[in-house]
Amino acid sequence: MTGGCLSGAVRYRAATPPSRTVVCHCTFCQRATGSAFAVWPTYSQDQVAITGSLSTFETRSDESGRWIRLHFCPRCGTTLYSTWQEDRGELALLAGTLDDTSGIEVDRHVWTRSKQHWFELPPGAKTFDKSSRA
């Protein structure tokens, strides 16, 4: 899987399929993406090659209280991936930065207690009011 930012200054290639893909409805992800939720395909960091320079913004999630780092292109501002406090050598790309999302299969929806009232969860989806790790 390949992808990159709006300006093309940062590109990446994932050598393997994601280990999981989570749709997060927390208010942090809503603000970070400017959308109703974030779609995070997650990879082992050693399976993703990134070219170009990135800037990082670290903050605490208002939902979980844990820190999260957003890694973005300093030229165009596109957030490409995140890393988080429970570091297990993983990173989560933002699915909207992928060149082709046809290979993405969502495993679960998390923090659904914060989802937008007008968004309907897909029938049969695995959902969690909070984190699926709680």
Side-chain angles (χ1 to χ4, degrees):
M1 298 185 118
T2 60
C5 67
L6 285 168
S7 69
V10 180
R11 296 288 301 162
Y12 61 79
R13 175 180 295 281
T16 61
S19 59
R20 65 188 173 282
T21 299
V22 176
V23 177
C24 184
H25 297 267
C26 79
T27 54
F28 172 83
C29 284
Q30 290 177 35
R31 279 193 299 278
T33 62
S35 186
F37 48 81
V39 181
W40 299 106
T42 303
Y43 299 84
S44 173
Q45 288 181 11
D46 62 357
Q47 295 298 307
V48 181
I50 300 168
T51 58
S53 297
L54 290 163
S55 292
T56 302
F57 174 72
E58 181 178 316
T59 190
R60 291 207 174 266
S61 168
D62 51 349
E63 295 278 13
S64 72
R66 289 173 260 183
W67 64 257
I68 185 170
R69 288 187 186 118
L70 299 176
H71 304 267
F72 61 95
C73 173
R75 181 173 176 197
C76 67
T78 303
T79 298
L80 293 136
Y81 70 95
S82 68
T83 52
W84 51 93
Q85 186 167 326
E86 295 175 0
D87 183 11
R88 293 180 305 204
E90 296 176 311
L91 62 81
L93 296 170
L94 271 171
T97 66
L98 288 164
D99 294 332
D100 178 7
T101 58
S102 63
I104 295 296
E105 293 185 27
V106 173
D107 297 299
R108 65 195 80 145
H109 290 255
V110 298
W111 294 98
T112 58
R113 72 179 190 180
S114 303
K115 79 171 189 61
Q116 293 296 318
H117 69 89
W118 43 261
F119 179 77
E120 294 293 326
L121 292 165
K126 188 184 284 186
T127 64
F128 298 86
D129 282 344
K130 294 183 177 183
S131 170
S132 59
R133 298 173 196 246

